[in-house]
Amino acid sequence: MSASWKILAALGVIGVLFWRLGYGIKAYGSQMTPVKYVRTGGVFQYLTKDEIKNTLLPLVQGGVLAADMQAVHDAVAKLPWVDNVEVNRVWPDAIDIRIGEKTAFARWGENSLITGQGGIFSPRNVDQFLMLPKVSGPQRQEQKVLEIMKGVTTALEDQALILTEFAINDRGAWRIKLATGMEILLGREDQLKKLQRFLRTLPILGPEQADAIAIADLRYPNGYAVTWRPDAPEIDWSKLADPKPAGDRATGGKTTNKATQNRKNGKKNRA
């Protein structure tokens, strides 16, 4: 055997010894340095530490060196309420996990929530969020639907109206429901323009009549149709058409009051 072959054989033996030594150290570390602490950091309102613990338990049975940090990261990131997560191995016996929790902006459909950035998630406790507005729309258009809903909410708030439901169907037609129970149908074209036109007419109707509207159908190019609630009060359309007070109508639009009449009488008496 030549000298070069002897050197190569020796290097091979050394490599095998180092590999076995490294494997032995890892195995030793796995057995002798178990994970004693999993420290979680973050402000949680809906995510529980028990939920995190149950998720991580199968992944940290070995030692600190044997724990797969990527697997730990991925398992925690899949929890519905987790927005972001950072995982670090801390020698000799701990794993640190920092978690950011999602914030629900609205309900999405029947069984999910949506964040302010358009992220959909489905936790088990959706029923706790019935106070949030309900939003629905075509798949893969969640962020677009959410941005439209935000604009509609702003327009309604200018009239002190509260949005409870906003939906866009697969054909692109909008439907709105308010806290008063009023349902607004907007169709597929010029929806915001039609909504603004409708909102401008509400002060003319007055709050009592506006609250009595069951359905406002705005799918007309130059107006809208109204379906009234069964308990809606009678509307005096002549008063709405001529909103001047009765005294003004009786005097042809001229107003008189007691002080003015007294001044006239005083002048007459002095004469």
Side-chain angles (χ1 to χ4, degrees):
M1 182 180 295
S2 66
S4 60
W5 278 106
K6 290 180 180 180
I7 293 172
L8 289 174
L11 290 175
V13 170
I14 293 171
V16 171
L17 290 175
F18 272 109
W19 178 82
R20 296 194 56 160
L21 178 61
Y23 180 81
I25 291 174
K26 183 175 181 180
Y28 177 80
S30 300
Q31 297 174 6
M32 301 303 295
T33 314
V35 177
K36 292 183 179 179
Y37 308 100
V38 177
R39 297 191 285 260
T40 56
V43 179
F44 308 143
Q45 187 174 1
Y46 303 105
L47 183 66
T48 66
K49 291 192 175 182
D50 285 342
E51 190 175 8
I52 300 171
K53 178 181 176 181
N54 294 335
T55 300
L56 294 179
L57 194 59
L59 303 174
V60 294
Q61 294 296 324
V64 171
L65 292 177
D68 187 337
M69 294 296 100
Q70 187 62 49
V72 171
H73 176 280
D74 294 345
V76 176
K78 289 179 181 177
L79 293 174
W81 278 105
V82 173
D83 184 39
N84 55 78
V85 58
E86 181 181 345
V87 179
N88 291 296
R89 194 191 328 257
V90 180
W91 185 261
D93 54 8
I95 295 174
D96 273 0
I97 303 175
R98 296 199 61 81
I99 299 172
E101 189 180 61
K102 292 175 182 174
T103 300
F105 183 83
R107 291 178 291 146
W108 181 266
E110 297 295 335
N111 303 310
S112 299
L113 301 173
I114 186 168
T115 67
Q117 294 72 43
I120 305 294
F121 63 108
S122 303
R124 291 192 294 270
N125 53 345
V126 173
D127 291 344
Q128 297 182 24
F129 299 88
L130 297 179
M131 78 295 293
L132 294 177
K134 179 182 175 183
V135 187
S136 59
Q139 292 184 354
R140 295 183 294 277
Q141 294 188 34
E142 295 89 351
Q143 190 168 2
K144 178 181 178 180
V145 172
L146 185 67
E147 291 305 314
I148 295 172
M149 174 260 196
K150 291 178 180 179
V152 169
T153 300
T154 300
L156 293 172
E157 287 175 347
D158 290 341
Q159 295 290 338
L161 298 173
I162 299 173
L163 177 74
T164 58
E165 292 186 22
F166 177 73
I168 299 179
N169 65 21
D170 291 336
R171 299 179 61 197
W174 297 10
R175 181 181 61 83
I176 296 170
K177 191 170 184 180
L178 307 182
T180 61
M182 183 197 304
E183 188 173 351
I184 304 174
L185 307 179
L186 288 155
R188 295 183 293 168
E189 297 179 355
D190 299 325
Q191 296 97 331
L192 287 176
K193 180 180 178 181
K194 293 175 181 177
L195 179 62
Q196 292 286 4
R197 182 179 63 195
F198 170 70
L199 294 177
R200 286 195 297 268
T201 68
L202 291 183
I204 300 173
L205 289 174
E208 186 177 4
Q209 282 78 24
D211 289 347
I213 297 175
I215 300 174
D217 190 345
L218 279 55
R219 295 174 294 180
Y220 299 89
N222 298 312
Y224 60 88
V226 169
T227 302
W228 302 98
R229 290 165 44 186
D231 58 345
E234 285 284 339
I235 299 178
D236 187 346
W237 293 105
S238 63
K239 184 183 294 185
L240 292 177
D242 185 10
K244 291 181 294 185
D248 288 357
R249 290 196 297 272
T251 59
K254 298 179 181 179
T255 61
T256 60
N257 55 47
K258 189 174 181 180
T260 303
Q261 191 64 42
N262 288 340
R263 286 197 297 271
K264 290 181 178 180
N265 291 337
K267 291 180 179 180
K268 183 177 180 180
N269 292 336
R270 285 196 298 272

